């Protein structure tokens, strides 16, 4: 695949070099071996079954995007875009599940910014419970933010990435705020002295324009959202996510989150999970907040307002200073909508991470990758078109007889604390 040596086993991968292109395939599947992490427990409930009805999807041909484009198939897209693993569910059944190199069904793969959608779901659960008010100012939960650029911003501004904070997401600029954040949390060696830890770094961010304006993609928004969730609940994100999300979707494996020097999670891009469990997560948005096993995870009202957006969400997205290349789309509750309407919902992460949700076709697709570059429009949009082509073919098929959900389950009220492992200090 793209000339990559699938059997490459780097030695000496560490905080300084794990993001080099030649190390990504290995490092994205072995994060806990060189960075501090904490466990997000799956709990004690039953695993949501994923029945298999395998069929050939690789041969499905994509409609051409232009008159000069060479014919492309689903298989050629997946085989030329540094895929580590991909799978597709149709009405809850696995139609294909493919792994490349050393990755397998038990591998926890770094999700990068797909992590944002998981944190957004935790925030949604807290809103459903009445513990978090989307319209409340952040200072009502963390008063010390009154001295930061986030003074006057609301939870809703974080959920939709519409605060006025100055934060560059230019991954190729070593002095962009997104790279300075990595230095602060110990994901990269510091080039210059600066704050240590996620929360100390976030308090240094300044405001550049009014809160509540246009959409601008900024990882700091999710990190601040995670901080708010922890402040509201009095629990760490690994515990919160276990009880509110991961322990309810019927996950078959624990997830893992990278943490900073103080054990605070890297909320915007540090979660690692299996391909199959991410398909279970995506299914929430097909089933109005119900997990595949029947457990209520998010309210139908939260799903509905995620899909509807705000009256000005699409205008705010269209006026974004970034080149989002999704005309008619929007961003809502840490989820992407690449087209007009709400038929297709995405969770996206750099280096080729995607959860694809097509509601009319009842399709969930997941692709985990290790692109050499953080962003690659050709690989991103060919993947989107591949999933669209599959959904178009499957969406016309009649539904199978309805199956009853498995019984609901209840997590224990108390669990052991999740240890921080690696070289982090408690």
């Amino acid at each position: 695949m793209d000339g990559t040596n699938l059997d490459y086993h780097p030695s000496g991968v560490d905080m300084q070099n794990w993001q080099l292109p030649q190390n990504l395939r290995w490092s994205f599947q072995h994060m806990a071996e060189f960075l501090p992490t904490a466990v997000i427990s799956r709990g004690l409930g039953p695993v949501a079954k994923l029945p298999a009805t395998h069929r050939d999807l690789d041969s499905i041909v994509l409609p051409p995007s232009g008159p000069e484009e060479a014919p492309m198939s689903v298989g050629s897209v997946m085989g030329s875009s540094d895929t580590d693993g991909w799978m597709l569910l149709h009405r809850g059944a696995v139609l294909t599940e493919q792994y490349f190199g050393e990755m397998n069904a038990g591998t926890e793969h770094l999700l990068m910014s797909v992590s944002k959608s998981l944190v957004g779901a935790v925030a949604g659960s807290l809103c459903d419970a009445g513990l978090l008010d989307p319209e409340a100012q952040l200072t009502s939960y963390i008063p010390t933010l009154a001295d930061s650029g986030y003074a006057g911003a609301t939870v809703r501004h974080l959920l939709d990435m519409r605060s006025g904070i100055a934060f560059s997401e230019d991954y190729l600029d070593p002095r962009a705020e997104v790279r300075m954040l990595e230095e602060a949390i110990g994901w990269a060696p510091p080039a210059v002295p600066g704050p240590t830890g996620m929360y100390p770094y976030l308090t240094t961010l300044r405001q550049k324009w009014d809160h509540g304006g246009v959409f601008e993609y900024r990882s700091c928004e999710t990190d601040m959202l995670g901080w708010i969730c922890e402040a509201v609940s009095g629990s760490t994100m690994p515990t919160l996510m276990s009880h509110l999300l991961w322990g309810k979707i019927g996950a078959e494996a624990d997830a893992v989150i990278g943490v900073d020097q103080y054990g605070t999670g890297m909320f915007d891009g540090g979660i690692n999970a299996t391909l199959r469990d991410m398909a279970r997560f995506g299914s929430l948005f097909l089933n109005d907040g119900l997990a595949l096993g029947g457990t209520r995870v998010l309210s139908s009202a939260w799903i509905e307002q995620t899909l509807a957006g705000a009256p000005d969400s699409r205008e705010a997205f269209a006026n974004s200073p970034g080149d989002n290349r999704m005309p008619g789309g929007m961003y809502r509750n840490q989820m992407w909508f690449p087209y007009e309407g709400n038929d297709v919902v995405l969770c996206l992460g750099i280096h080729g991470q995607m959860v694809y949700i097509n509601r009319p076709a009842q399709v969930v697709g997941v692709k985990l990758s290790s692109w050499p570059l953080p962003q690659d429009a050709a690989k991103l949009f060919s993947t989107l078109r591949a999933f669209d082509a599959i959904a178009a073919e499957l969406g016309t098929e009649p539904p199978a007889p309805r199956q009853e959900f498995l019984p609901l389950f209840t997590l224990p009220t108390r669990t052991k604390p999740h240890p921080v492992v690696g070289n982090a200090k408690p």
Side-chain angles (χ1 to χ4, degrees), residues 47-58 74-75 78 83-90 92-109 252-253 273-280 292 364-368 387 390 394:
V47 174
K49 297 185 182 301
L50 296 177
T53 310
H54 290 298
R55 58 190 285 182
D56 173 25
L57 301 180
D58 286 5
V74 169
M78 299 303 177
T83 307
D84 297 324
W86 79 280
M87 69 182 299
L88 189 125
L89 298 187
H90 182 223
V94 179
L95 299 195
T96 193
E97 181 176 357
Q98 301 181 31
Y99 299 97
F100 301 84
E102 287 193 313
M103 188 170 173
N104 58 52
T107 302
E108 299 160 348
H109 191 289
E252 59 187 279
T274 68
L275 192 70
R276 294 167 65 84
D277 285 340
M278 290 313 299
R280 293 178 171 96
L292 289 173
V364 175
V366 184
K367 182 180 188 291
L368 301 177
F387 282 135
I390 296 171
L394 299 176

Side-chain angles (χ1 to χ4, degrees), residues 180-420:
M180 294 169 68
L181 185 153
E182 291 183 349
E183 294 178 12
I185 66 170
W187 271 29
V192 296
T196 298
M198 174 68 75
Y199 294 163
Y201 177 77
L202 291 176
T203 61
T204 68
L205 298 178
R206 301 290 82 173
Q207 184 179 356
K208 66 178 179 180
W209 56 48
D210 291 343
H211 298 306
V214 300
F215 162 79
E216 185 177 10
Y217 186 77
R218 286 157 297 181
S219 288
C220 60
E221 307 283 71
T222 311
D223 294 319
M224 184 59 71
L225 181 64
W227 188 0
I228 294 294
C229 289
E230 291 192 335
V232 165
S233 65
S235 298
T236 64
M237 184 58 71
T239 299
L240 268 181
M241 191 168 287
S242 172
H243 283 287
L244 299 181
L245 180 65
W246 215 245
K248 290 186 173 184
I249 64 171
E252 59 187 279
D254 293 339
V256 172
I257 184 171
V259 297
D260 72 3
Q261 301 88 336
Y262 306 107
T264 300
M266 208 297 191
F267 308 130
D268 74 74
I271 299 176
N272 303 249
T274 68
L275 192 70
R276 294 167 65 84
D277 285 340
M278 290 313 299
R280 293 178 171 96
F281 169 75
S283 296
L284 294 176
F285 295 86
L286 294 183
N287 301 325
D288 296 325
L290 286 176
L292 289 173
T295 302
R296 172 65 64 187
V297 180
L298 294 167
S299 71
S300 58
W302 180 262
I303 299 295
E304 181 179 356
Q305 63 104 323
T306 299
L307 297 171
D312 63 343
S313 289
R314 294 183 192 276
E315 179 184 1
F317 190 85
N319 292 329
S320 172
D323 182 13
N324 299 310
R325 303 190 189 188
M326 297 178 181
M330 69 173 180
Y331 190 90
R332 178 71 164 178
N333 289 343
Q334 305 285 296
M335 308 285 285
W336 295 86
F337 293 78
Y339 309 129
E340 294 182 1
N342 56 20
D343 288 353
V344 177
V345 190
L346 303 176
C347 315
L348 295 175
I350 59 172
H351 295 286
Q353 323 318 320
M354 179 186 291
V355 178
Y356 170 96
I357 302 148
N358 188 307
R359 286 170 56 84
Q362 289 290 289
V363 161
V364 175
V366 184
K367 182 180 188 291
L368 301 177
S369 318
S370 49
W371 298 345
L373 293 174
Q375 295 173 314
D376 190 319
K379 292 177 180 177
L380 169 63
F381 289 105
S382 64
T383 300
L384 178 56
R385 290 173 54 219
F387 282 135
D388 280 344
I390 296 171
E393 179 155 319
L394 299 176
T396 60
E397 297 183 356
R402 181 173 178 175
Q403 298 180 352
E404 295 297 323
F405 284 125
L406 297 173
L408 302 182
F409 67 88
T410 304
L411 290 177
T413 55
R414 301 183 68 182
T415 61
K416 294 181 180 179
H418 304 300
V420 174

